[in-house]
Amino acid sequence: MASIRFNNIYLGKSVSISSNDEKIFTKRTIKDYYNGEKTFEEAEEKQERIIIDDMLKSINLDLIIGADLSNQIAITSKTMANYNIPFLGIYNACASYPEGIIIASKLLDSKIKNIGVIVSSHNKTAEKSYRYPIEYGSLRKKCETYTLTSSVISQITKSKSNIKIESCTIGKVVDYNFVDVKNIGAVMAPSAASTLITHLKDLKRDISYYDLVITGDLGKIGSKLFEEILLENDITLQNYIDAGSMIITDENLSLMGGSGPVCLPLFLTEKIIKQNKYKHILIIGTGSLHNVSMVNSKRSVPSISHIVSLEVLN
Amino acid sequence: MTEDKYLKLVKENTLKENTLKNTFISFLSGGVLGLMAEALTNIYMKILYLEESSALTLMTITFIFIAVILTGLGSFDDLVKKYRFGLLIPITGFASSVASSLMDYKNEGTITGLGANMFKLAGAVILYGIVSAFLLALIKGVFYG
């Protein structure tokens, strides 16, 4: 069974940083893509350093689990060279945040008390590794999403906070024989639905148990497809939000919304948790597992989704 | 849900690209660019008293220069967003593809960065340009002497 229940695991403090593209208020803002550095890669490293430093001011982290979208997750690895903290680098594309939480929740014990899960993306470094050169005027399709320039670190801990990590479901890789990676929402929607169905079945729950379901970056097309697939399996979503489409609302950037591993945690920690309106929250991180060579050889794109169920305590 | 059914569902839900409108805009912008090039060639011939072949070369250089400067300033991609393929097909698109690759890789060294990646996109144009020129020359040679 791929679903795990947790006892006494909590989501502690979260620190985030974002740029002017994102329509979410964070205390720390990046004014331009270079952020005072020489290259975009260094700018992303700086953005990670800012939030890790901020986190370390009040919390002593025993381990950091991190992911980003650069090749061989070089950016987060390079950032971690500045700290004397053990590091696990992971990659499940945009499903990395729930993946990190799941690993962290299982690793916590008497010696490892606080784990930081960091996810990061930078629009320009992602464009460089997945698409055309940045200033080349390649035309974007209407179904394409826009990668965020943002980072979030969350503390996973055994000491009590008001958000409990209650259970999780580890997803399977789903391949629906879909080739067009530009329509990334359509690539990921089947895996999001498949993991959600497994989650409800494993834990013998009805979808009405959850006050809110959040997906990471399915975008407008993807979230519609997600709902359609669920409808076919007799699951009707009542209260559902796609984080990416709420964060990037500027139609000049993308008609679909934002993408990247940061969508989900940024929206969750800066908006939903602060609203304090929901009790049972289900987060679904959706990731498209492709690289340039797979796309160029016209092979179908697999995707993965992981679920973490959160309970807000009063 | 079966794969076929899903692919059909995706097709129904995906926003359609406005091909006709894009083609029309590209046709107009490409035409206007051509007109500007023609005018510039004539100006060079009249003012600088150049021969037609030299004026044409100078005109091409001018357009390459403008495209590269605009790419460097970060506004070429905005212009392409507005005027579509009309700016990418002529020499301006070729110039921008080389300039943008160079900008991306300028930090990775002169050989492994600039040298290896300069023609990342433009390499295809050069290769297939040469291949098609060879084939056309062959046809011309065989059939028309």
Side-chain angles (χ1 to χ4, degrees):
Chain A
M1 196 161 82
S3 296
I4 306 162
R5 279 177 200 266
F6 298 117
N7 281 320
N8 299 323
I9 309 279
Y10 299 91
L11 182 69
K13 189 186 169 186
S14 291
V15 186
S16 48
I17 184 167
S18 65
S19 72
N20 294 325
D21 296 338
E22 290 87 41
K23 293 288 162 282
I24 286 240
F25 177 76
T26 55
K27 271 194 221 155
R28 300 150 207 85
T29 315
I30 302 157
K31 288 197 184 67
D32 67 81
Y33 288 127
Y34 281 104
N35 202 8
E37 297 290 321
K38 270 192 182 153
T39 64
F40 295 128
E41 285 76 12
E42 285 170 74
E44 190 175 348
E45 284 163 27
K46 186 179 178 185
Q47 133 195 345
E48 288 189 317
R49 279 202 309 275
I50 291 172
I51 56 167
I52 297 177
D53 287 342
D54 210 328
M55 184 67 126
L56 290 176
K57 271 181 204 159
S58 55
I59 291 151
N60 201 5
L61 294 173
D62 302 308
L63 170 71
I64 288 184
I65 300 176
D68 65 69
L69 292 180
S70 63
N71 295 342
Q72 288 86 33
I73 54 166
I75 287 170
T76 310
S77 309
K78 183 82 180 144
T79 307
M80 288 312 297
N82 296 300
Y83 301 94
N84 196 16
I85 301 173
F87 169 64
L88 279 178
I90 55 168
Y91 182 81
N92 257 183
C94 312
S96 298
Y97 182 71
E99 184 192 14
I101 292 185
I102 294 167
I103 298 172
S105 303
K106 283 306 261 185
L107 284 178
L108 284 172
D109 61 16
S110 54
K111 275 187 187 156
I112 305 175
K113 285 180 181 140
N114 289 304
I115 300 180
V117 174
I118 184 168
V119 283
S120 170
S121 67
H122 188 295
N123 182 276
K124 300 303 171 199
T125 59
E127 288 275 314
K128 231 166 116 174
S129 35
Y130 289 101
R131 299 194 179 100
Y132 293 107
I134 294 161
E135 287 303 334
Y136 179 63
S138 67
L139 295 168
R140 295 169 74 85
K141 275 185 163 181
K142 283 181 183 170
C143 56
E144 282 185 59
T145 49
Y146 191 83
T147 312
L148 306 193
T149 306
S150 179
S151 307
V152 175
I153 184 166
S154 292
Q155 171 209 12
I156 313 295
T157 175
K158 281 202 157 187
S159 47
K160 202 169 179 188
S161 80
N162 65 339
I163 298 150
K164 191 180 167 204
I165 298 168
E166 186 260 340
S167 62
C168 76
T169 300
I170 302 169
K172 296 175 201 138
V173 176
V174 174
D175 193 337
Y176 253 53
N177 218 357
F178 191 70
V179 182
D180 185 8
V181 78
K182 291 189 170 163
N183 196 352
I184 207 160
V187 171
M188 303 187 295
S191 78
S194 132
T195 314
L196 180 57
I197 293 164
T198 317
H199 178 78
L200 297 175
K201 213 166 147 191
D202 283 353
L203 299 176
K204 298 190 181 58
R205 273 178 195 161
D206 189 72
I207 189 71
S208 57
Y209 175 83
Y210 293 104
D211 305 320
L212 181 68
V213 175
I214 315 172
T215 52
D217 54 357
L218 287 180
K220 282 174 191 148
I221 296 174
S223 40
K224 204 168 163 218
L225 292 167
F226 174 58
E227 286 179 282
E228 293 268 344
I229 303 172
L230 288 177
L231 264 183
E232 205 179 53
N233 289 284
D234 294 324
I235 299 169
T236 317
L237 290 175
Q238 298 290 348
N239 216 345
Y240 162 60
I241 303 176
D242 178 60
S245 13
M246 304 299 285
I247 295 172
I248 298 282
T249 47
D250 185 352
E251 293 201 342
N252 286 323
L253 298 180
S254 163
L255 294 171
M256 288 301 112
S259 63
V262 195
C263 286
L264 186 61
L266 189 66
F267 191 68
L268 177 78
T269 57
E270 293 290 340
K271 191 117 189 193
I272 299 299
I273 290 178
K274 283 184 180 164
Q275 277 179 346
N276 205 5
K277 229 165 83 182
Y278 308 98
K279 189 161 167 55
H280 298 283
I281 303 168
L282 190 78
I283 57 171
I284 311 178
T286 52
S288 161
L289 303 174
H290 65 279
N291 68 4
V292 177
S293 133
M294 187 196 285
V295 173
N296 285 347
S297 38
K298 306 244 171 353
R299 301 183 66 202
S300 61
V301 185
S303 66
I304 194 158
S305 300
H306 301 300
I307 283 181
V308 170
S309 153
L310 303 171
E311 195 179 331
V312 181
L313 310 171
N314 291 317
Chain B
M1 192 178 279
T2 58
E3 277 175 17
D4 292 341
K5 203 174 165 196
Y6 182 65
L7 291 182
K8 220 175 132 194
L9 193 69
V10 173
K11 220 175 177 182
E12 278 167 21
N13 281 292
T14 305
L15 296 174
K16 298 245 157 28
E17 300 295 323
N18 208 334
T19 322
L20 205 67
K21 191 182 154 202
N22 289 344
T23 315
F24 187 67
I25 294 174
S26 307
F27 178 73
L28 276 188
S29 59
V32 169
L33 205 68
L35 195 73
M36 282 159 69
E38 192 63 39
L40 198 65
T41 316
N42 282 334
I43 290 171
Y44 282 150
M45 278 160 71
K46 290 248 164 72
I47 295 179
L48 302 178
Y49 304 108
L50 291 173
E51 282 175 31
E52 198 183 354
S53 60
S54 317
L56 279 172
T57 314
L58 197 60
M59 175 274 293
T60 315
I61 293 170
T62 315
F63 273 92
I64 292 173
F65 181 75
I66 294 172
V68 169
I69 292 289
L70 286 177
T71 308
L73 293 175
S75 46
F76 190 82
D77 46 349
D78 297 332
L79 288 176
V80 174
K81 221 183 242 175
K82 242 187 219 163
Y83 301 111
R84 305 273 139 180
F85 244 63
L87 300 186
L88 283 185
I89 299 277
I91 194 86
T92 44
F94 187 90
S96 158
S97 78
V98 174
S100 57
S101 302
L102 289 179
M103 284 165 70
D104 260 13
Y105 293 96
K106 67 171 187 280
N107 300 306
E108 295 179 21
T110 44
I111 306 289
T112 47
L114 300 184
N117 294 296
M118 184 170 174
F119 294 106
K120 210 173 178 187
L121 300 172
V125 182
I126 296 174
L127 172 65
Y128 294 108
I130 292 171
V131 170
S132 45
F134 169 74
L135 289 177
L136 284 173
L138 201 69
I139 292 170
K140 189 178 175 251
V142 171
F143 291 104
Y144 300 98

